[in-house]
Amino acid sequence: MAAVGRRGTVKEFAGFNPQEDAEKLRKAMKGFGTDEDAIISVLAKRSIAQRQRIKQDYKTAFGKDLISDLKSEISGKFEQVVLGLLKTSVQYDVHELKNAIKGAGTDEGCLIEILASRNNCEIQQIVATYKKEFGKSLEDDICGDTSNMFQRVLVSLATGNRDEGNNVDDQQAKKDAQSLYEAGEKQWGTDEVAFLSILCIRNRTHLKRVFEEYKKISNKDIEASIKGEMSGSLEDALLAIVKNMKNQPAYFAERLYKS
């Protein structure tokens, strides 16, 4: 059974019966027309792990693939949402990343949101699944579709190697804050590597202290300095990292509000 993710508000459905849910979905797709409300009432109220059970039981009970049946019955944005609900969180991230990269243009916002917000274990699972599904490494695809310092930030995040401890070294935090100040506000031009080296490596608790020390030194929030020193996708990526380190639910709330 797939692990239940740490994000989102959909919890395990009490009294869950995958056989009954499979039957409800089959009934919603039989005959003339499709009962979209019935599909929503089942899939939108079950956890990720429970939806995986429903997929298995649907195939067992009817000898047919639930996703294939749904594709033949629904379309458009509704289809995209429903099929997304039937993926595990890792599968969903992998396909979103691939869609962000393939074709003309790149959805930088999608790349940033996923890579800046997932923990090390999730990133490593994404990287392994991406390679298995598409026969090409995520890093290679990132490098083929992005460039310059933005590319380097994404590659760093895609290693899934951030310090995830809770240790805070007060002296190092002051030193990091001073380094960020000297790399941006204090000089003409910006040392972008200094921002990458600190924001992509240090743990959440330590970075929060760094941001406090930075404000004491510069009389500015780190976000304001990034906005003044960076631009384009690099600015968006570094801001996403900072916002995730400070308050991840608030970051996703902002993304939803602006979507």
Side-chain angles (χ1 to χ4, degrees):
M1 185 184 296
V4 177
R6 59 187 171 82
R7 294 181 298 277
T9 57
V10 178
K11 308 300 182 183
E12 296 281 348
F13 184 77
F16 173 60
N17 187 319
Q19 292 86 9
E20 285 185 6
D21 285 344
E23 180 61 43
K24 288 177 184 176
L25 291 172
R26 179 64 177 165
K27 184 178 178 181
M29 292 183 281
K30 283 180 68 177
F32 182 76
T34 304
D35 186 347
E36 295 181 349
D37 288 339
I39 293 171
I40 293 169
S41 71
V42 172
L43 297 181
K45 297 178 181 179
R46 305 298 186 267
S47 69
I48 294 172
Q50 288 175 335
R51 291 185 214 120
Q52 304 313 302
R53 284 285 308 279
I54 293 169
K55 280 200 302 183
Q56 293 172 358
D57 281 54
Y58 188 95
K59 183 171 284 188
T60 301
F62 307 112
K64 300 188 74 178
D65 181 66
L66 176 57
I67 291 176
S68 296
D69 279 358
L70 286 165
K71 283 181 177 180
S72 70
E73 294 290 331
I74 58 179
S75 61
K77 297 293 185 182
F78 183 60
E79 178 187 0
Q80 290 178 31
V81 172
V82 168
L83 297 186
L85 287 171
L86 287 166
K87 291 182 173 71
T88 66
S89 56
V90 170
Q91 289 169 341
Y92 184 82
D93 283 347
V94 164
H95 283 268
E96 287 298 295
L97 288 168
K98 187 63 174 178
N99 289 334
I101 292 169
K102 73 179 183 181
T106 305
D107 184 352
E108 290 91 353
C110 177
L111 297 177
I112 293 166
E113 177 182 318
I114 292 173
L115 295 176
S117 66
R118 304 317 190 239
N119 64 35
N120 287 348
C121 181
E122 289 167 337
I123 291 288
Q124 289 159 14
Q125 289 177 329
I126 287 167
V127 168
T129 304
Y130 192 99
K131 176 76 171 179
K132 183 178 179 180
E133 291 243 356
F134 305 116
K136 194 174 182 182
S137 75
L138 175 59
E139 182 178 332
D140 285 346
D141 277 353
I142 288 171
C143 291
D145 232 49
T146 60
S147 60
N148 302 322
M149 189 54 63
F150 176 55
Q151 176 191 105
R152 291 170 66 176
V153 169
L154 294 182
V155 168
S156 177
L157 293 173
T159 63
N161 196 37
R162 179 186 294 280
D163 171 16
E164 291 188 329
N166 293 308
N167 183 57
V168 177
D169 183 328
D170 286 327
Q171 288 304 115
Q172 186 63 52
K174 291 177 181 177
K175 183 178 178 182
D176 286 345
Q178 186 66 38
S179 295
L180 290 173
Y181 178 64
E182 292 177 358
E185 291 287 342
K186 192 177 180 181
Q187 68 174 21
W188 179 260
T190 307
D191 179 2
E192 297 164 339
V193 175
F195 280 81
L196 182 157
S197 298
I198 293 170
L199 297 181
C200 293
I201 295 174
R202 304 287 193 256
N203 72 58
R204 183 187 304 272
T205 310
H206 180 87
L207 282 174
K208 287 182 177 179
R209 184 67 57 82
V210 171
F211 301 152
E212 292 170 2
E213 295 296 331
Y214 184 87
K215 190 168 186 178
K216 293 177 185 177
I217 295 168
S218 66
N219 293 315
K220 277 187 176 183
D221 285 328
I222 187 68
E223 294 101 313
S225 290
I226 290 172
K227 288 176 182 178
E229 296 292 325
M230 314 290 181
S231 62
S233 296
L234 177 60
E235 175 190 339
D236 293 340
L238 296 182
L239 285 174
I241 294 169
V242 170
K243 290 174 181 179
N244 269 284
M245 292 299 108
K246 283 188 170 184
N247 187 330
Q248 192 171 83
Y251 167 74
F252 282 119
E254 182 182 0
R255 286 285 291 168
L256 283 170
Y257 179 74
K258 291 182 176 179
S259 65

